[in-house]
Amino acid sequence: MAPKFGTSGLRGLVTELTPDLVADYTRAFLSACPVGTGLWVARDLRDSSLHLAEAVMGAALGEGVPVTDCGAVPTPALAMAAMAAGASAIMVTGSHIPADRNGLKFYVPKGEIDKTDEAAIHAALGRPAAGQVAARRFIGTVGGDWAARYRAAFGPALEGMKVGVWAHSAVSRDLLAITLEALGARVAVFGPSDAFVPVDTEAVPMTVRAEFAAWAKGLDAIVSTDGDGDRPLVADEDGQIIPGDVLGQITAALVGAETVVTTVSANTGVDLSGRFARVVRTRIGSPYVIAAMADLGGKVVGYEPNGGFLLGFDALEGALPALMTRDSLLPIVATLIEGKRAGSLAARVAAEPARFTVTDRLENIPTQASKALIARLEGAPALSAFLTHVGVPDAVDLTDGLRVTLQGGSVVHLRPSGNAPEFRVYAEAGSLAQATGLMQQVFSLVQAELA
């Protein structure tokens, strides 16, 4: 796939992320967006990330921008440190995509770039190198500072808990174990890998789920993150994975949020819980969530179904400062604390409204074909005919793709991917069995149309 912008950054095949292309995007970012006090750079544990980080830093130094090399640390740790320093940042990571791909995530001094910044970066591509020289330094405390934030806010809140950490190749793995131990938990580490393992927290393979069920014996939970540490993965005492949007609901309640911003694809449990004064839905993608949070202000938080959590205010009477970037540690720690209070994670999840979401995707579907199907189904007669054997449409939401609430409350959401030739299907219902059956029905219909 040719390198292109996805969520807050650039992604592509490693073979296509040449030093010249990476340098071009770095120069464009530095010329089009606020730089602040300099550029902070970090990377994940992919084999390709070190040389890509060197290309980023070399280009920035050649623009006369001072560089702080943070080494291999999680994305939220880099973002937190750079924002505190009033600096811009670039994280070299492909997040959860396979090892033959990689990417860059861009941050201005206030946080993640938005869609306006994205357009400005594209417009600035192709500018020649300035040929200047700037200073470069290394700082090794960035990851520790991120972990210390939660030790300071929660103290020994996890004392008495036994928690497994699925290490795989996550850049956050050591810090995650250290943080949980500092909060009082006993930690067992499973499955560290020298080879990069792509972990999508919204699509955990059945093989991994089976391993979780085996590892969970004698534990209160298993936790992990995706490759760059901005998406959490939490399983209960039986090894059952808790969906990311449920983690978001639980975390929002713990920090005392009044307003919740989430994407249109998140399940409706947050609306049905009655805990929040306002729930606002956006298009899919953290830039949209962040923009809505900034407009609303107050005790506002945001999250996506992948679990990345954004804290928009100083919570817990100021003990937990705002962090306006996708974070994994807060929802992990918050859910463990809430599970301990409830007697188990399964009991705490059961206290949330019974809403279950199942997702799947068709790959290698041209974007034009996906959009054409959505456009056709926007018409009421065509939509009703399409869903004849599934249910009766009650309400339609076109915020991002086609989200249909059926009579009885179940939900079907059809959406072309924003950064890949894929078509995504979501089904939500009051039980996992219902959601799974609904997904299978609708997925077969979509497959017949597009495959």
Side-chain angles (χ1 to χ4, degrees):
M1 73 182 184
K4 62 181 293 187
F5 264 96
T7 300
S8 305
L10 180 73
R11 287 182 185 172
L13 289 166
V14 171
T15 54
E16 295 179 335
L17 291 170
T18 63
D20 287 345
L21 184 137
V22 169
D24 191 15
Y25 270 90
T26 301
R27 289 192 295 268
F29 167 63
L30 296 174
S31 66
C33 299
V35 174
T37 60
L39 180 70
W40 291 47
V41 180
R43 65 185 188 276
D44 68 13
L45 298 180
R46 295 164 190 265
D47 290 342
S48 60
S49 291
L50 179 58
H51 82 263
L52 292 178
E54 290 294 336
V56 168
M57 290 187 283
L61 293 170
E63 295 299 294
V65 176
V67 169
T68 298
D69 177 4
C70 301
V73 298
T75 296
L78 170 67
M80 187 182 85
M83 286 188 282
S88 55
I90 295 179
M91 178 71 183
V92 179
T93 180
S95 186
H96 62 282
I97 59 179
D100 64 342
R101 293 161 169 78
N102 212 325
L104 310 177
K105 289 183 178 179
F106 299 96
Y107 292 79
V108 293
K110 67 178 182 180
E112 296 182 26
I113 62 169
D114 58 25
K115 292 298 180 181
T116 302
D117 295 323
E118 204 175 283
I121 293 169
H122 274 295
L125 290 171
R127 65 186 299 274
Q132 300 181 26
V133 178
R136 170 176 171 172
R137 65 170 180 161
F138 176 80
I139 184 168
T141 59
V142 167
D145 291 343
W146 178 58
R149 158 187 173 86
Y150 296 101
R151 294 198 298 270
F154 295 110
L158 302 182
E159 192 168 323
M161 296 192 77
K162 294 178 288 185
V163 182
V165 172
W166 180 35
H168 63 91
S169 54
V171 71
S172 56
R173 59 190 181 185
D174 294 337
L175 289 168
L176 181 52
I178 289 168
T179 302
L180 297 178
E181 288 176 340
L183 294 174
R186 285 184 289 161
V187 173
V189 177
F190 301 102
S193 173
D194 292 330
F196 185 80
V197 178
V199 174
D200 185 343
T201 58
E202 287 187 274
V204 181
M206 293 307 297
T207 53
V208 173
R209 292 174 184 267
E211 288 184 313
F212 272 33
W215 290 338
K217 291 178 175 61
L219 299 176
D220 295 302
I222 298 174
V223 302
S224 189
T225 73
D226 65 340
D228 68 315
D230 64 354
R231 301 181 181 189
L233 183 62
V234 179
D236 67 15
E237 63 276 13
D238 296 318
Q240 295 297 308
I241 292 172
I242 303 170
D245 42 11
V246 176
L247 300 179
Q249 295 165 209
I250 292 172
T251 306
L254 179 136
V255 300
E258 295 176 354
T259 301
V260 173
V261 179
T262 190
T263 63
V264 69
S265 57
N267 87 62
T268 55
V270 65
D271 307 270
L272 299 172
S273 71
R275 295 192 185 100
F276 311 107
R278 188 176 185 186
V279 176
V280 175
R281 301 279 180 159
T282 72
R283 294 184 63 186
I284 295 170
S286 58
Y288 300 110
V289 173
I290 291 167
M293 290 176 66
D295 289 342
L296 292 164
K299 292 186 175 182
V300 61
V301 300
Y303 64 83
E304 298 177 87
N306 60 38
F309 195 89
L310 299 116
L311 181 63
F313 68 102
D314 295 338
L316 308 181
E317 299 182 347
L320 188 63
L323 182 57
M324 283 293 287
T325 189
R326 287 164 290 170
D327 187 25
S328 61
L329 257 184
L330 178 53
I332 287 172
V333 172
T335 303
L336 292 176
I337 291 172
E338 286 284 281
K340 181 182 175 183
R341 289 173 180 170
S344 71
L345 265 68
R348 180 60 185 86
V349 170
E352 294 296 304
R355 302 302 294 172
F356 297 83
T357 303
V358 178
T359 69
D360 205 343
R361 60 186 177 180
L362 278 169
E363 298 182 285
N364 300 315
I365 303 298
T367 301
Q368 186 176 0
S370 296
K371 290 182 175 179
L373 176 59
I374 295 296
R376 181 171 70 80
L377 295 180
E378 286 177 5
L383 180 60
S384 295
F386 181 75
L387 296 175
T388 296
H389 301 294
V390 176
V392 179
D394 189 42
V396 173
D397 186 332
L398 300 176
T399 301
D400 196 336
L402 180 67
R403 184 175 174 87
V404 184
T405 302
L406 304 173
Q407 290 183 5
S410 295
V411 177
V412 173
H413 187 183
L414 309 177
R415 173 182 173 266
S417 172
N419 57 16
E422 299 173 349
F423 192 94
R424 294 185 177 267
V425 181
Y426 309 76
E428 179 189 327
S431 74
L432 182 57
Q434 285 179 299
T436 301
L438 183 59
M439 162 59 65
Q440 291 171 347
Q441 283 183 286
V442 177
F443 192 83
S444 294
L445 294 172
V446 171
Q447 200 168 30
E449 294 280 345
L450 293 176

